[in-house]
């Protein structure tokens, strides 16, 4: 309730002709961010499932728990996969030291699958960015701001793209209404992703 009151207060403070655009832009940003979070959750589920299967094949005790831990740590880019592998390697060392090598190799393979297939495809598809562009913005984000840069690179890129597209559609010679601009953006992106 407080959130809706804050939104209403902000809209009331704006000039009436800007209110529809601000609401539409907020909707665009919310749509992108929620799609990105859904994509990240799917990546976490995939990685957790792959880790569980690998631990079961290798014969490490507590495989489902270790897979769950690996999936949860996937939320953190860069360091997450390593943090998720540590408990599995420690459990393997405690039960069968030779299997710890196989566990490390399994997590290395999962990391490759994640970086080359899952993140570009799933995260890119969720925010409607090409996988090659996702890889590029992840590298740029990492170079510019390290861990935090990689964390926000994909959603920020998608938000900037959608804001520019919205403004373009609103500033045409025959401008679209705010609702028409949002609808046109979404339909154009669907067509591009299918191509």
């Amino acid at each position: 309730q407080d959130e809706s009151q804050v939104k209403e207060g902000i809209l009331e403070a704006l000039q009436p002709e800007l209110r529809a655009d601000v609401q539409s832009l907020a909707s665009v940003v919310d749509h992108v961010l929620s799609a990105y979070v859904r994509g990240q959750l799917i990546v976490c589920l995939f990685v957790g499932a792959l880790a569980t299967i690998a631990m079961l094949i290798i014969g490490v005790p507590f495989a489902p728990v270790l897979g769950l831990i690996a999936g949860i740590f996937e939320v953190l880019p860069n360091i997450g996969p390593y943090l998720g592998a540590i408990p599995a390697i420690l459990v393997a060392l405690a039960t069968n030291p030779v299997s710890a090598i196989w566990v490390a190799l399994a997590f290395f393979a999962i990391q490759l699958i994640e970086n080359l297939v899952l993140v570009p495809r799933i995260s890119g598809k969720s925010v409607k960015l090409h996988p090659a562009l996702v890889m590029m913005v992840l590298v740029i984000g990492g170079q510019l701001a390290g861990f935090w840069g990689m964390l926000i690179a994909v959603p920020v890129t998608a938000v900037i793209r959608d804001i520019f597209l919205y403004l373009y559609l609103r500033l045409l010679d025959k401008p679209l209404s705010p609702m028409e601009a949002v609808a046109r953006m979404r339909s154009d992106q669907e067509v591009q992703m299918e191509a």
Side-chain angles (χ1 to χ4, degrees):
Q1 187 178 4
D2 290 338
E3 184 182 344
S4 63
Q5 288 176 342
V6 170
K7 286 180 183 176
E8 287 174 19
I10 291 171
L11 288 174
E12 288 296 321
L14 295 172
Q15 295 177 1
E17 61 270 12
L18 293 177
R19 290 179 188 158
D21 283 318
V22 170
Q23 284 181 307
S24 294
L25 285 170
S27 164
V28 165
V29 171
D30 180 59
H31 180 76
V32 169
L33 295 180
S34 60
Y36 178 73
V37 169
R38 281 193 304 273
Q40 286 301 105
L41 290 176
I42 292 169
V43 170
C44 291
L45 286 172
F46 268 107
V47 169
L50 289 172
T52 301
I53 292 167
M55 298 306 102
L56 288 170
I57 291 170
I58 296 168
V60 178
F62 313 111
V65 174
L66 295 171
L68 178 65
I69 291 169
I72 290 170
F73 275 113
E74 272 308 307
V75 172
L76 305 171
N78 279 357
I79 60 168
Y82 302 110
L83 294 175
I86 290 171
I89 292 170
L90 291 176
V91 169
L93 276 172
T95 56
N96 180 4
V98 175
S99 67
I101 296 168
W102 290 108
V103 170
L105 289 173
F107 272 93
F108 178 74
I110 291 168
Q111 179 66 20
L112 282 177
I113 292 168
E114 178 196 356
N115 287 339
L116 298 176
V117 179
L118 295 178
V119 170
R121 298 248 178 226
I122 294 174
S123 292
K125 194 168 189 176
S126 67
V127 292
K128 297 173 179 62
L129 290 174
H130 193 278
L133 180 60
V134 171
M135 302 267 297
M136 187 175 74
V137 298
L138 285 173
V139 170
I140 293 169
Q143 291 296 316
L144 292 177
F147 167 77
W148 296 107
M150 291 189 74
L151 189 65
I152 65 168
V154 173
V156 165
T157 301
V159 165
I160 290 170
R161 177 212 52 211
D162 284 359
I163 288 173
F164 274 108
L165 182 56
Y166 176 84
L167 293 174
Y168 169 76
L169 292 171
R170 289 286 289 135
L171 299 172
L172 289 172
D173 289 336
K174 293 183 181 178
L176 301 176
S177 73
M179 291 183 70
E180 290 172 333
V182 171
R184 169 96 175 266
M185 284 172 48
R186 296 206 174 125
S187 68
D188 288 351
Q189 288 170 354
E190 294 295 330
V191 169
Q192 287 173 358
M193 290 306 291
E194 290 169 8

